Amino acid sequence: MSEAIKAVVSVRLLSAVKATDRPFDYLCPQGEAPHRGQVVRVPFGKGDRDRFGVVTSVRREEPDRALKTVREVFPDEIGLNEELFALCRHLQEQIFCSFGEAARAILPAPVYKKNARRIRIASLADGTDPGAASAIRGKNKALYEAVLSHLLLSGETAVSDLTQTYGLSSAGIALLEKKGLIRVELRDEERDPFEGFAAEDCSDQPLSPEQENAFQSLKEQLDRGEACASLLYGITGSGKTRVMLALCDHVLQKGKKVLFLVPEIALTGQSATLLAGRYGKRVAIIHSALSDGERRDAYVAIRRGEKDVILGTRSAVFAPADNVGLIIIDEEQDQSYKSDTQLKYHARDVARWRCAKNRAMLLLASATPDVESYYKAKSGVYSLIRLTNRFGGATLPEVKVVDLRGDLRREGGILLGRKLRREIADNLDRQEQTILLMNRRGYRQFLSCLKCGEAIRCPNCSVTLTVHSGARRRLSCHYCGYTIPYPAACPTCGDEHLLSHGAGIQQLEEELNTVFPKARVLRMDSDTLTGKRTHEDILAAFRNREADILIGTQMVAKGHNFPRVTLVGVVMADTALYLSDYRAGEHTFSLLTQVIGRAGRADKPGRAVIQTLNPYHTVFSLAAAQDYEAFYEGEIAVRRAFLFPPFCRMGVLTLSDEDEARLLRRSKEATDRLKAYLAGDFSDVKLVIYGPFEAPIYKMKNVYRKRLIFKYKNDKRTRALFDRLLTETQGTPDGRGKVSFDTNPGMI
Ligand code: ADP
Ligand code: ZN
């Protein structure tokens, strides 16, 4: 090859959106020839600003025009492997994102922007005596002496700790070093992903006969070496985790990797604890709260093949592992598997694709499967494996659905009806623990004026402000965080008679304190998770019996094992039921079943009380009977009759803008454009269109939003139509007007 012929690479920018998604050509620096999937830094645009991108192809040719040159080629181990590269292409096609948006979800910025973190460590120089500080001139003598004594007693210490503890400046440290009293060196910091992580080993406990059967049939299926998917459907407490662990062992023995996904909240739950205990350092952990450095470490270690088990929340489905043999999605119905920020993917769909590529098994586990998953299992797309007994013969709790209307007529404004109060009192007497679910944050839902009737609203969002109690009595917006002190008078008319309505969890706390003054109550919602206090701390305190009653939003329902809990109360079961979402019934059923499942998991039988204003709604009696099958039969019939997934796909196109008039114009343009396609080039496409409507919360954070909702079939032609619509329906040049498309929206 002649000297003159250089490598030219096509690059897709990581920052591109759908409308700007195309490859750009660059020359490679002398001697460098990156390959497909590698990350590069390139000059871009008029100002030649730094941009990051992924190489999509490499050619040896004499360019016919002047090309800019790649500024930096990153090491291969932080790029995309062939599989993940293909995954970006697949997502581009399926969910209408740009290549860069998909690549960014797999390769978050810290992975390529961060270096291994170095820290400065100080130690005492040989033969130094803390008294030597007295020889230094200046007013800081005492400080220097303290630092030297510290090093004498504790040995090596991070410089940052010294400056923080003793208030010494870095100039002070430099002076000590210059005087030869201390040594400072740079070291790679070792980060321990397992810090603060509980581990429990259960490898010596044999499977029960039912669990063993489930394991054997999964193993058989897996050993065929073909792509397959299976639904492990087992009631709460049946030991699904044990079956999954046995299968992990088997896959690892074959030299393949396992991805183990858990819901957002359950990372410290039992599955994770057991996984950490069983496989120790072979496990990499991926979740949204990783520091930048930890994220990079995890990526590189997985890419190098140093980790066999990747445990994490939904984004762990993108882990750059080769040779994946099994992907497990625990509590597969959980909504946190659907991303509705930036890249709007569903972890289950990505997992399915990866399993197909790797000829691996996708294993979904749940006590209340997603209706779509169960439909697939029943129609043979997934194999269906059941566990029908609670381990060790524990019985399901006895559940009562209680009509709250009578109690409310007698004693207006209460949250705890007579039945639930009696049960709580019993439990307190017996020194057993209680969990109460109340799915509304704050104290009161809104505050309105008795004179003019206006409710106090958020200035940035089209919602009312929620009243919060406590030392800082205030009103705050749950969408944008806008907060004001509790007003003395109506901001609209100035009248002083303000009334709050709609109970929240803080009011429940207050009522418990009044009715059961001796009971120790612990509250868990996003308002109590402040600063360093995590939900793990709260759960640990409850597990250690530091409280008698745990009250919380849906966080308390998921995946936690509390042997001492024998009573579960659902304070307001109706709250989730009247959302406009077609899955409201499914979510309510699943939430109730899960929270009921928290009661009586050990030797003591459990009870549950569901309070409602609508006791005849079937979802309550079915949840009380833990009858998923019956629930499913009713639900799937409705979906079929009214055409909802799994019988079609749903898509939501959202246009947003800070300028309301411009938004109305843009949404009309988009609708007209779509109608023109359907009357012209795409007249063969069958599409049901609703809208444009205002989004359920029309204005959020000062941005107005309108939506078009679609029911469609996921075929090539329909995808081509959406692709065209989204390429032509762009954001505004000033960046304040945006477009997004969600193909499997979590909430409609
Ligand atoms: P699920 O995930 O199906 O709700 P778990 O896996 O949490 O059920 O199991 C319920 C309880 O039974 C847990 O406390 C677990 O430790 C225990 N358990 C399940 N299977 C076994 C087994 N084979 N040996 C010992 N304990 C078991
Ligand atoms: Zn707001």
Side-chain angles (χ1 to χ4, degrees), residues 368-399:
T368 53
D370 186 317
V371 167
E372 290 180 54
S373 301
Y374 202 59
Y375 178 77
K376 285 186 179 148
K378 289 210 129 185
S379 43
V381 180
Y382 303 158
S383 72
L384 180 60
I385 311 282
R386 290 168 201 259
L387 292 175
T388 51
N389 303 312
R390 281 195 137 186
F391 180 78
T395 48
L396 281 172
E398 177 202 334
V399 187

Side-chain angles (χ1 to χ4, degrees), residues 526-737:
S526 47
D527 297 304
T528 61
L529 306 179
T530 48
K532 283 239 163 249
R533 193 160 185 235
T534 62
H535 65 269
E536 291 122 57
D537 300 335
I538 300 181
L539 294 172
F542 188 57
R543 196 172 289 117
N544 296 337
R545 310 193 64 189
E546 289 165 32
D548 307 303
I549 305 175
L550 173 67
I551 66 176
T553 50
Q554 57 185 2
M555 291 178 192
V556 298
K558 309 203 168 166
H560 311 292
N561 232 328
F562 298 108
R564 286 273 156 196
V565 172
T566 51
L567 172 65
V568 161
V570 180
V571 176
M572 260 297 179
D574 314 38
T575 39
L577 205 54
Y578 299 118
L579 298 174
S580 57
D581 195 316
Y582 73 94
R583 274 169 299 196
E586 179 178 353
H587 292 157
T588 303
F589 182 85
S590 161
L591 180 63
L592 291 178
T593 310
Q594 280 179 49
V595 73
I596 291 167
R598 299 302 124 214
R601 287 173 65 98
D603 45 343
K604 293 202 171 77
R607 286 125 49 231
V609 176
I610 299 176
Q611 299 192 127
T612 168
L613 304 178
N614 188 0
Y616 304 109
H617 199 296
T618 49
V619 78
F620 300 133
S621 48
L622 292 174
Q626 305 256 306
D627 192 345
Y628 176 79
E629 297 281 343
F631 168 76
Y632 168 82
E633 291 302 336
E635 186 68 22
I636 202 79
V638 171
R639 303 261 181 111
R640 186 179 279 120
F642 293 99
L643 191 64
F644 277 111
F647 302 101
C648 69
R649 279 240 184 172
M650 305 219 40
V652 176
L653 175 80
T654 306
L655 293 161
S656 60
D657 211 315
E658 289 169 36
D659 178 341
E660 191 177 7
R662 186 169 65 176
L663 175 68
L664 299 185
R665 225 167 34 240
R666 289 174 54 220
S667 101
K668 179 164 186 318
E669 277 164 20
T671 315
D672 291 348
R673 189 172 295 133
L674 180 62
K675 289 197 173 133
Y677 297 155
L678 287 170
D681 288 359
F682 291 95
S683 58
D684 56 318
V685 170
K686 293 194 177 46
L687 187 68
V688 189
I689 307 172
Y690 303 90
F693 300 124
E694 294 183 356
I697 295 172
Y698 178 40
K699 179 174 140 194
M700 194 188 288
K701 302 181 187 173
N702 280 319
V703 175
Y704 298 87
R705 298 152 338 140
K706 284 209 128 193
R707 327 195 288 177
L708 282 162
I709 299 179
F710 309 107
K711 286 180 179 171
Y712 67 99
K713 247 170 89 179
N714 186 23
D715 55 24
K716 257 199 148 93
R717 287 289 292 157
T718 311
R719 288 200 300 267
L721 165 72
F722 285 141
D723 194 73
R724 170 114 152 242
L725 178 67
L726 287 159
T727 307
E728 289 175 17
T729 306
Q730 306 193 358
T732 59
D734 62 8
R736 296 189 304 148

Side-chain angles (χ1 to χ4, degrees), residues 134-257:
S134 57
I136 303 176
R137 259 179 285 141
K139 58 181 178 349
N140 279 343
K141 263 186 203 142
L143 264 186
Y144 296 139
E145 194 168 335
V147 168
L148 294 180
S149 310
H150 178 105
L151 291 175
L152 180 72
L153 295 176
S154 325
E156 298 185 338
T157 308
V159 168
S160 57
D161 287 348
L162 291 177
T163 51
Q164 238 167 48
T165 316
Y166 295 97
L168 192 65
S169 66
S170 30
I173 296 285
L175 182 69
L176 289 175
E177 194 183 0
K178 201 172 121 214
K179 297 263 174 202
L181 299 176
I182 63 169
R183 273 194 317 255
V184 177
E185 54 184 316
L186 268 179
R187 277 202 217 139
D188 276 4
E189 185 189 17
E190 286 204 23
R191 291 171 281 234
D192 180 10
F194 284 97
E195 204 183 289
F197 219 82
E200 182 188 336
D201 193 6
C202 66
S203 22
D204 55 340
Q205 297 168 338
L207 296 180
S208 71
E210 190 188 43
Q211 293 168 352
E212 182 66 31
N213 275 341
F215 166 62
Q216 287 300 338
S217 64
L218 287 168
K219 177 169 162 254
E220 219 169 87
Q221 204 180 334
L222 196 138
D223 284 342
R224 281 184 221 136
E226 284 156 29
C228 59
S230 190
L231 174 65
L232 177 61
Y233 161 47
I235 57 171
T236 38
S238 56
K240 294 183 284 298
T241 314
R242 304 308 172 107
V243 176
M244 297 190 275
L245 286 175
L247 203 61
C248 287
D249 284 353
H250 180 66
V251 171
L252 294 176
Q253 270 159 25
K254 293 161 82 102
K256 299 193 172 185
K257 311 264 162 56

